Amino acid sequence: MQPKVSVYFDFNSPYAILSAVRIYQIYNKDIGAIKQQETEYPLSTTDITSCFIKSEVTRNPIRSKYTWSDSARTLKRLGIEKKFEEPNPSWWPQGVSLVNKVAYILMCRDTFHNAAKEVISNYNQADFDPSWRDTITEAGSSLESAIASEYVFRVYEQFMLEHKKLRDDGVLSGIVEKILAKYPEASRRLGRTSTVLELAKKSKSAKSVAQGFTEEAIGRGVFGVPTFSTEQGEIFWGNDHLVDAAIIASENHVAKAKL
């Protein structure tokens, strides 16, 4: 079992996109060289679990201007050259409830299974064999992590960089379709894009999972995003603390194994 770090996101947060890019780089190779701090416990050996929450948007003109400009210059260092502009009401903020539920359908076998039982008539689990999730990719991560992290990155890309409206079915389905096209077996076992979206829209269990993580974040004392939390409850706020959280989680994991 790997050390685990939970990451609390809000898709409306410009700072959270930085963590989304970094996590995507960890689990996928095709974005270019991974730029990460060398540590005794590399990030690739840490189970980074994304949790998507609803949070209040703090409106402060000076803070807002800095947040967006700071995110823009950091994205360039991460290899993202697309222009990152300050928002306007035509595209920001947006409702992300469905976006969050799709994420959980993709990244959690239990959520998919429970949603499928609820929505698909004559559901046969054998037809949706989840073993593809454990397939190890060339990047050394599980296929589940590769797909989930790319989904988060692509949502941010369409939202924050392309200014697309995520509520448009074509936008969200296009994101999922493009990712699953690279992984035919995963796509087949998920029932393809149409099934993923149907489960996210109709399943009460998927909605419950999404709400549960917001409640969990509040219970853990999360006050901003992105926030990283270890299994022991240590909280790290801010994009620059991903490595710190991974180190502490790994140290705790090693110490626990020695008991």
Side-chain angles (χ1 to χ4, degrees):
M1 182 178 293
Q2 296 173 298
K4 181 177 179 180
V5 172
S6 297
V7 188
Y8 294 95
F9 283 105
D10 176 0
F11 279 114
N12 281 296
S13 167
Y15 268 143
I17 189 177
L18 303 179
S19 292
V21 172
R22 286 190 166 114
I23 293 169
Y24 173 60
Q25 290 178 341
I26 291 167
Y27 288 131
N28 298 269
K29 277 190 170 183
D30 61 340
I31 199 172
I34 297 174
K35 300 176 182 178
Q36 66 181 54
Q37 177 180 330
E38 290 296 327
T39 71
E40 184 180 353
Y41 307 105
L43 293 176
S44 58
T45 64
T46 304
D47 178 10
I48 303 173
T49 302
S50 300
C51 310
F52 307 92
I53 65 176
K54 297 179 180 179
S55 62
E56 292 295 324
V57 178
T58 302
R59 297 188 179 277
N60 179 299
I62 298 176
R63 176 183 174 183
S64 177
K65 186 175 182 63
Y66 172 80
T67 297
W68 289 86
S69 63
D70 186 41
S71 296
R73 64 191 176 198
T74 304
L75 282 173
K76 288 184 178 180
R77 293 201 302 271
L78 291 171
I80 307 299
E81 297 296 336
K82 292 183 180 179
K83 191 173 182 180
F84 192 67
E85 303 172 337
E86 288 188 53
N88 67 65
S90 69
W91 61 269
W92 183 90
Q94 294 187 33
V96 293
S97 177
L98 179 60
V99 178
N100 292 349
K101 287 183 284 187
V102 170
Y104 291 122
I105 294 293
L106 291 173
M107 68 186 287
C108 180
R109 70 186 68 203
D110 289 339
T111 301
F112 178 89
H113 173 64
N114 292 332
K117 284 196 303 181
E118 183 184 347
V119 174
I120 300 174
S121 59
N122 301 318
Y123 170 67
N124 181 359
Q125 187 175 7
D127 295 333
F128 299 89
D129 180 10
S131 60
W132 64 267
R133 294 177 179 272
D134 301 317
T135 302
I136 302 302
T137 68
E138 291 183 2
S141 66
S142 70
L143 184 52
E144 178 182 80
S145 294
I147 289 175
S149 62
E150 181 169 1
Y151 170 76
V152 176
F153 170 67
R154 297 302 177 191
V155 168
Y156 273 115
E157 181 181 55
Q158 291 296 299
F159 179 14
M160 295 284 189
L161 300 177
E162 301 293 342
H163 306 164
K164 298 292 180 64
K165 293 186 177 180
L166 300 175
R167 287 184 177 179
D168 292 349
D169 282 350
V171 173
L172 202 53
S173 63
I175 292 171
V176 177
E177 185 69 29
K178 186 175 181 179
I179 296 170
L180 294 186
K182 297 190 292 185
Y183 309 107
E185 179 64 11
S187 179
R188 185 170 71 87
R189 294 301 187 178
L190 285 167
R192 310 197 189 285
T193 300
S194 58
T195 299
V196 171
L197 294 179
E198 182 183 20
L199 298 184
K201 290 177 180 178
K202 297 181 179 180
S203 168
K204 293 180 180 179
S205 57
K207 181 179 180 180
S208 177
V209 169
Q211 291 175 334
F213 277 111
T214 296
E215 294 170 1
E216 177 185 283
I218 293 172
R220 287 191 173 189
V222 172
F223 56 87
V225 291
T227 287
F228 309 95
S229 176
T230 67
E231 291 181 281
Q232 288 70 33
E234 293 100 332
I235 293 292
F236 299 84
W237 176 49
N239 170 69
D240 53 328
H241 285 304
L242 172 57
V243 172
D244 298 322
I247 291 173
I248 295 299
S250 296
E251 290 176 344
N252 290 340
H253 183 72
V254 171
K256 185 177 180 180
K258 291 180 179 179
L259 295 178

